[in-house]
Amino acid sequence: MIAVELLSPAKNTEYGKAAILHGADAVYIGAPNFGARASASNSIADIEQLVRFAHLYSAKVYVTLNTVLYDNEIEPAVKLTKQLYDIGIDALIIQDFGLLQYGLPPVPIFASTQTHNRSLEKIAFLEKVGFRRVILARELDLSEIKEIRRHTGIELESFVHGALCVSYSGQCYMSQAAAGRSGNRGVCAQPCRSAYRLRDANGSTLIDKAHLLSLKDLNLSEFIHGLLQAGVTSFKIEGRLKDLTYVKNITAFYRRCIDEIIEDDERYGKASSGNVNLRFTPNPYKTFNRGYTAYFIEGRTEKVASPQTQKAVGERLGKVTRVNPRWFETDTDATVSPGDGLCRLHPQRGLEGVSVNKAEGKRIFPAKPLQLEVGMEIYRNNDILFEKQLSGDSADRRIAVSFELREHASGYTLCVADEDGNRTEYSVDTHKLPARDTGTSRKQIDTQLRKLGNTAFTADGVVIPDSFTYFIPAAELNEMRRQAIQRLEDLRIDRYRAKDVERTPTDAEFPAKALDYHGNAANRYAKEFYRRHGVECVDDAMELQKDYRGKALMTTKHCIKYQYNQCPKKQRPEQSWKEPLFLEDQHSVYRLEFDCGACEMKVIKEK
């Protein structure tokens, strides 16, 4: 059986626990330092608390330490990894190869998507040097993933939901060049979400004030089974900076998607313990999204950008059917509530939003006038009732246990076994009281033992031998149950620890003899690692350089020409734009370079 892992983001311990309660088999969380989301760091004590909680459910905790590091950061980073190893984390997600050269504790390591895991040759190399898992580049399609699976044995993890970086991950230097804030150091300024002007070689404006590099959000929920068949076993949700309702809703949504597959296909099974009970119906359109795309999972089949807005669009509510100065009507059957946020996409002005004052059936009274016409589409990007559902205890997760009560010479023993085969017991010496009514006594014992309250367990059965004819006071039963369950909790947590990994240095050859700044070597240990593996020339990382002119700051599968029907391969425009094309904002000019053979676009610093 193949264990299928649902991996959710944890901004902090609270978010991590919520993700697990809503169905995550694993969570990833930022270390105190050196994570690719600098504003989502956590203390060792907080991570340890999350580890204990996760391990109770046989869920895992992966810690992100996935920035490029400077010389003076390698030693403290390795010291941090040893602290994380000591508290029992299940894996480290890293980017900087200098950590391997310096030496890591025997904890499993995953290759962050920031290491640009796109080619079979690169992934095969990562497997040879000790990585247990690679987080695949989002740009890969199903056939490419299948090819990687055929030729490697490394675990494959794939993003299936959330925000998309327009550039190949780990290969974007636009924030560094534009704002002095390195995405590879966890402080991306997100210039890809800004508005730009596009002009041609003659200086003519082709498009003005559009979010030309801003992509829709990823949603591969319809491709989970295909990804499983391609060899992916871990399905990752992006969003360590998203809010708690996003984590709850999207985790629960993918839990249902995966459970349906597990139920229908006996080849697959759960990667953690317990059954999730939801108090809401998950809906990915009701939390933050810029509209959804399947990206390139089936090749280039759709336009992936959202040039009109970089903000949340939400769920489509319906079309406008009537307009009045004070209200408008739509064809929706959905309930609209006061406080809901509605929006529409204006062709020139982009996203325009308004809150709802009141709603009477299909008639909606906005808080301020919104210029509308019959036929316009209306979206809801804040559903106040849905948010309220998710603001409290919106799910619980219970591990099935069974009790068996036994008599011994001087008292009783309560045995408890869980769904994973763990077993503990608790014995008491006590004066035995014959039951006045055996049937009533047995019923009381069954009732008291099933009272598991806010523990992580639910009673699946209680076994009382036919020969058991005693009365046990409720207080005594409760104490026996509490002690047995506490021992079971401790046993589950203590047993669930990642096995130590022995990494022996190899002479595996890196699939390149020379590396420019795209190698992200910002410290001497990273350069030594590359040289040890056959790279003859290693340039400094972009963070160590000062002149960005003429350098490709971004390489992307998103193509502005394809977005605007100018692709010479697939769209054959009657009149083509005159190249080179340029992106401009208030501060910089970028030249666009198109490699139609590779179906890629480069953004190059011009001035």
Side-chain angles (χ1 to χ4, degrees):
M1 185 192 71
I2 299 170
V4 183
E5 179 182 271
L6 174 59
L7 176 56
S8 294
K11 181 179 182 179
N12 53 37
T13 299
E14 177 193 4
Y15 283 40
K17 289 180 177 180
I20 291 165
L21 291 177
H22 287 73
D25 300 302
V27 295
Y28 61 104
I29 188 170
N33 298 297
F34 313 122
R37 294 289 185 271
S39 58
S41 58
N42 296 272
S43 71
I44 293 291
D46 286 344
I47 296 172
E48 182 175 20
Q49 182 185 353
L50 180 58
V51 167
R52 288 187 60 82
F53 183 86
H55 287 181
L56 176 59
Y57 293 92
S58 301
K60 296 181 172 68
V61 176
Y62 307 139
V63 176
T64 60
L65 200 145
N66 57 338
T67 60
V68 296
L69 303 168
Y70 297 145
D71 282 332
N72 64 340
E73 293 174 328
I74 287 286
E75 186 174 347
V78 171
K79 181 179 179 181
L80 176 58
T81 68
K82 292 176 179 176
Q83 292 176 293
L84 293 165
Y85 166 75
D86 288 340
I87 65 171
I89 69 164
D90 297 282
L92 279 170
I93 303 172
I94 66 172
Q95 175 185 185
D96 199 306
F97 294 137
L99 292 170
L100 275 73
Q101 184 70 11
Y102 190 93
L104 289 171
V107 62
I109 54 172
F110 297 170
S112 168
T113 189
Q114 295 297 109
T115 59
H116 188 40
N117 306 317
R118 184 163 173 253
S119 72
L120 170 59
E121 294 77 16
K122 175 72 170 293
I123 293 168
F125 169 79
L126 294 173
E127 182 176 20
K128 291 173 185 174
V129 297
F131 284 92
R132 174 170 293 181
R133 177 185 296 184
V134 291
I135 303 166
L136 296 169
R138 294 170 174 91
E139 292 78 10
L140 292 170
D141 63 34
L142 285 172
S143 65
E144 292 171 316
I145 296 172
K146 287 178 182 177
E147 186 69 8
I148 291 167
R149 176 72 299 146
R150 275 195 293 267
H151 294 92
T152 66
I154 196 168
E155 293 178 13
L156 302 181
E157 177 183 309
S158 174
F159 279 97
V160 292
H161 197 95
L164 284 164
C165 292
V166 62
S167 173
Y168 291 135
S169 293
Q171 307 291 288
C172 184
Y173 310 100
M174 202 161 178
S175 177
Q176 175 71 29
R181 294 171 53 181
S182 168
N184 277 320
R185 299 266 302 159
V187 287
C188 181
Q190 294 193 311
C192 57
R193 302 296 182 187
S194 299
Y196 293 93
R197 172 191 180 209
L198 179 68
R199 65 174 176 85
D200 64 12
N202 297 325
S204 301
T205 298
L206 301 172
I207 301 165
D208 197 18
K209 296 180 181 178
H211 302 274
L212 297 169
L213 297 175
S214 184
L215 302 188
K216 300 175 186 177
D217 288 353
L218 185 66
N219 183 334
L220 295 183
S221 55
E222 295 182 6
F223 295 91
I224 300 296
H225 198 259
L227 285 162
L228 273 168
Q229 292 177 317
V232 173
T233 55
S234 179
F235 298 90
K236 188 172 194 170
I237 298 166
E238 179 277 338
R240 281 196 292 132
L241 297 182
K242 298 287 177 59
D243 62 26
L244 187 55
T245 59
Y246 170 95
V247 173
K248 290 180 175 182
N249 183 32
I250 302 303
T251 299
F253 175 71
Y254 279 90
R255 180 73 270 159
R256 286 193 170 182
C257 293
I258 291 172
D259 283 348
E260 287 176 4
I261 293 171
I262 290 174
E263 187 175 341
D264 293 340
D265 195 328
E266 61 184 13
R267 292 175 298 173
Y268 305 115
K270 292 167 60 176
S272 59
S273 305
N275 184 55
V276 175
N277 303 296
L278 299 177
R279 301 184 182 95
F280 69 102
T281 301
N283 184 338
Y285 289 92
K286 286 186 177 291
T287 40
F288 186 98
N289 72 88
R290 302 176 178 91
Y292 286 123
T293 174
Y295 209 34
F296 299 106
I297 197 67
E298 292 185 308
R300 191 179 295 278
T301 60
E302 60 176 315
K303 295 176 180 179
V304 300
S306 177
Q308 286 182 276
T309 183
Q310 83 285 26
K311 298 177 181 178
V313 175
E315 61 177 330
R316 182 185 180 277
L317 200 60
K319 287 187 177 181
V320 176
T321 56
R322 293 181 65 189
V323 177
N324 177 279
R326 295 178 52 247
W327 50 261
F328 63 90
E329 293 182 353
T330 71
D331 59 3
T332 183
D333 292 325
T335 300
V336 177
S337 304
D340 280 357
L342 305 184
C343 61
R344 65 86 178 260
L345 285 168
H346 189 278
Q348 282 77 45
R349 296 192 294 270
L351 190 77
E352 295 184 330
V354 68
S355 61
V356 175
N357 268 352
K358 69 175 181 176
E360 298 173 351
K362 297 178 182 291
R363 183 168 294 180
I364 298 168
F365 296 80
K368 64 180 181 180
L370 191 64
Q371 295 181 8
L372 297 174
E373 297 176 6
V374 171
M376 282 184 172
E377 292 196 334
I378 295 293
Y379 296 83
R380 173 164 54 189
N381 55 11
N382 184 35
D383 185 330
I384 200 75
L385 293 182
F386 188 75
E387 293 288 320
K388 186 176 180 180
Q389 278 186 300
L390 289 174
S391 64
D393 294 331
S394 47
D396 62 47
R397 182 171 180 171
R398 303 286 177 157
I399 301 162
V401 297
S402 60
F403 291 102
E404 182 180 357
L405 184 62
R406 298 173 181 170
E407 177 189 6
H408 61 80
S410 57
Y412 313 112
T413 297
L414 181 62
C415 304
V416 58
D418 66 27
E419 62 186 58
D420 299 312
N422 296 297
R423 188 178 184 88
T424 60
E425 61 182 43
Y426 179 72
S427 296
V428 294
D429 293 332
T430 185
H431 179 63
K432 297 177 183 178
L433 301 172
R436 293 179 180 177
D437 184 323
T438 302
T440 301
S441 177
R442 292 169 67 88
K443 186 175 179 180
Q444 179 221 13
I445 291 170
D446 185 279
T447 299
Q448 290 302 123
L449 292 181
R450 290 180 184 272
K451 290 182 178 180
L452 290 168
N454 60 358
T455 69
F457 304 99
T458 184
D460 199 32
V462 176
V463 176
I464 307 171
D466 292 339
S467 59
F468 196 93
T469 58
Y470 300 103
F471 166 77
I472 305 176
E476 195 169 328
L477 280 170
N478 291 343
E479 181 63 16
M480 291 172 66
R481 185 196 63 233
R482 280 194 294 268
Q483 292 290 347
I485 286 296
Q486 184 61 58
R487 291 185 178 190
L488 182 63
E489 280 192 10
D490 293 341
L491 177 65
R492 290 184 64 87
I493 293 169
D494 291 343
R495 281 185 176 179
Y496 202 83
R497 183 182 173 96
K499 293 182 180 178
D500 285 358
V501 175
E502 291 186 13
R503 277 182 293 273
T504 305
T506 73
D507 58 356
E509 191 167 325
F510 190 82
K513 289 296 182 185
L515 285 171
D516 62 9
Y517 56 91
H518 288 95
N520 296 329
N523 61 77
R524 67 182 180 89
Y525 298 99
K527 292 182 178 181
E528 288 174 5
F529 174 88
Y530 281 127
R531 292 189 184 107
R532 180 158 65 87
H533 292 283
V535 182
E536 297 169 358
C537 180
V538 186
D539 201 357
D540 283 340
M542 186 69 88
E543 289 79 4
L544 300 178
Q545 303 195 24
K546 296 180 179 179
D547 188 359
Y548 309 117
R549 288 174 300 176
K551 290 183 169 64
L553 302 181
M554 180 186 295
T555 304
T556 174
K557 291 288 285 184
H558 162 54
C559 179
I560 286 177
K561 291 204 297 184
Y562 184 85
Q563 184 76 26
Y564 289 96
N565 303 314
Q566 290 286 315
C567 174
K569 290 174 64 177
K570 297 193 174 186
Q571 295 161 326
R572 303 186 183 281
E574 292 183 7
Q575 186 173 0
S576 298
W577 290 339
K578 186 172 179 56
E579 298 184 42
L581 304 179
F582 298 89
L583 287 181
E584 296 179 349
D585 60 15
Q586 294 179 342
H587 310 287
S588 303
V589 177
Y590 307 94
R591 176 169 50 87
L592 301 181
E593 186 177 287
F594 301 91
D595 183 342
C596 293
C599 224
E600 292 178 342
M601 180 180 77
K602 293 183 187 295
V603 180
I604 299 169
K605 177 73 171 178
E606 191 79 358
K607 63 179 181 179

